[in-house]
Amino acid sequence: QVQLVESGGGLVQAGGSLKLSCAASGRPFSLYTMGWFRQAPGKEREFVAAISWRGISTNYADSVKGRVTVSRDNAKNTGYLQMDALKPEDTAVYLCAAAAGGPSPSVEAYGFWGQGTQVTVSS
């Protein structure tokens, strides 16, 4: 079992930046791929980014490519999502997740989920 807790969300103006964190506990975080997803009201959960267990491989959704950077610090059992040039359409609850396989964009690949942190981007 892996427990995940996100933090760092908030209200930001369009064009601004936020850095989200995902703190892991339980089984060693370094065993898992870490993914970030988001879910806006009335919409399906959407892939944002993922990073492999050693941080060698990353994967980004086209909608955020070039504006978002995923990273991790296995020594701190923490993953990060740096978001720049934020847009109002980035407004959503952001969730981190852990998967046993590679940095998949599929929700079904992830077996462990955090509760999420709200990101609101004002225009």
Side-chain angles (χ1 to χ4, degrees):
Q1 291 282 341
V2 177
Q3 292 79 44
L4 303 169
V5 178
E6 303 91 339
S7 61
L11 174 64
V12 64
Q13 288 189 332
S17 298
L18 280 176
K19 186 173 185 177
L20 307 183
S21 298
C22 176
S25 60
R27 294 196 71 194
F29 180 58
S30 59
L31 293 177
Y32 297 92
T33 278
M34 183 192 70
W36 287 93
F37 291 77
R38 65 187 182 187
Q39 190 162 19
K43 294 189 176 181
E44 292 188 352
R45 193 163 292 186
E46 175 188 26
F47 172 73
V48 177
I51 186 168
S52 62
W53 66 279
R54 286 197 296 175
I56 293 175
S57 298
T58 57
N59 191 4
Y60 293 94
D62 288 342
S63 59
V64 302
K65 203 170 289 184
R67 301 188 296 120
V68 164
T69 303
V70 63
S71 62
R72 66 191 297 161
D73 185 341
N74 288 340
K76 295 182 178 180
N77 288 327
T78 303
Y80 305 97
L81 188 71
Q82 175 69 45
M83 302 190 293
D84 301 312
L86 283 162
K87 305 175 182 180
E89 51 263 44
D90 293 320
T91 295
V93 174
Y94 282 71
L95 306 101
C96 70
S104 171
S106 173
V107 170
E108 290 74 23
Y110 295 81
F112 304 100
W113 293 84
Q115 293 298 308
T117 185
Q118 177 71 46
V119 170
T120 303
V121 184
S122 63
S123 57

